[in-house]
Structure formats: structure tokens, C-alpha cells
Amino acid sequence: MIAVALGIFVIGSKDISTYATFDQAIETQSRVKISGELAPDKDITYDPVNNPNTTSFYMVDARGKTEKVLLKKPKPQDFELSEQVVVTGRYVDDQFVADEVLLKCPSKYKEEELDLRSES
């Protein structure tokens, strides 16, 4: 049982990443999570016909630095509507390459909730 628990811990610890900014990610060259927002004035590139598993976009981190992110996954649904983006990855050849993304999207129920409250 101890060996199984230790094995699970070791496997799980490989996925542990720390939150960082783009500058910190450049310095450490290790796997990190970066929280920020999509850059509103920059394009999102996704070509499902020629390269369905790659999305590139620009993100602004907590310190205000804007960087291009190469996401090794298809573009998530409602990506443009997200309020916050958390990417997990590392710098490879001077570009941040992410293999995971989490989105905080506005709730589709907020408007309905406001309508219900105003009716009360």
C-alpha cells in the first residue's frame, strides 16, 4: 500500500506547476502556470483544416506583459469570451508553448439570474 501511495504521489507531482509571469517563466525555463487575459487587440490563429491541434494567441500576464502563446490543442469553445486564461507550459526556443489551458468564462446564467432578481 505504501508503494502504491508513493507511486501515485510521484506521478501526481510531475503535474505540479507554480504560478509565474512570463518573465519568471523565461528565467526558470521550467513548467509553470501563467494567469492572465487574452490581448484584446491581437488575433487568435486557429486553422482546423491544416493544423487542428495548434492554436496561437496573445496573452497579457498579471504584470501587464504581452506574449504570444502557442497552445498545442484545438481552440477551446468560446475562447474569445473568456474573462481569464490560465496556461500551463514552458518556454521553448523563445516562445511560450502551452499544453494545457483553463478558461474562466462569464456565466451564461448571470443575465438570467439578474432577470429573476428584478422580477422578485
Side-chain angles (χ1 to χ4, degrees):
M1 287 178 124
I2 294 172
V4 171
L6 185 58
I8 291 172
F9 177 75
V10 169
I11 291 170
S13 68
K14 289 182 182 179
D15 192 37
I16 295 174
S17 321
T18 58
Y19 278 90
T21 62
F22 285 117
D23 288 334
Q24 292 167 333
I26 290 170
E27 288 175 23
T28 64
Q29 290 293 311
S30 60
R31 183 175 165 84
V32 295
K33 291 182 181 185
I34 299 177
S35 178
E37 299 175 350
L38 293 175
D41 57 337
K42 305 277 187 179
D43 289 332
I44 297 169
T45 305
Y46 177 62
D47 185 357
V49 174
N50 295 317
N51 200 351
N53 293 316
T54 302
T55 306
S56 67
F57 58 94
Y58 288 84
M59 187 174 135
V60 182
D61 70 11
R63 296 240 172 122
K65 183 173 185 173
T66 303
E67 285 282 327
K68 185 175 184 177
V69 175
L70 181 65
L71 175 63
K72 295 293 194 170
K73 291 190 179 244
K75 184 178 86 162
Q77 185 176 350
D78 297 331
F79 190 54
E80 296 85 356
L81 301 176
S82 63
E83 292 177 347
Q84 184 180 14
V85 178
V86 177
V87 291
T88 304
R90 66 171 33 125
Y91 270 90
V92 177
D93 298 328
D94 296 326
Q95 182 174 22
F96 192 82
V97 178
D99 54 16
E100 293 180 25
V101 64
L102 294 172
L103 305 176
K104 179 181 178 191
C105 294
S107 173
K108 64 182 180 180
Y109 302 107
K110 281 183 182 177
E111 204 170 292
E112 292 174 14
E113 183 179 320
L114 290 174
D115 288 343
L116 288 175
R117 286 186 184 175
S118 65
E119 291 175 6
S120 302

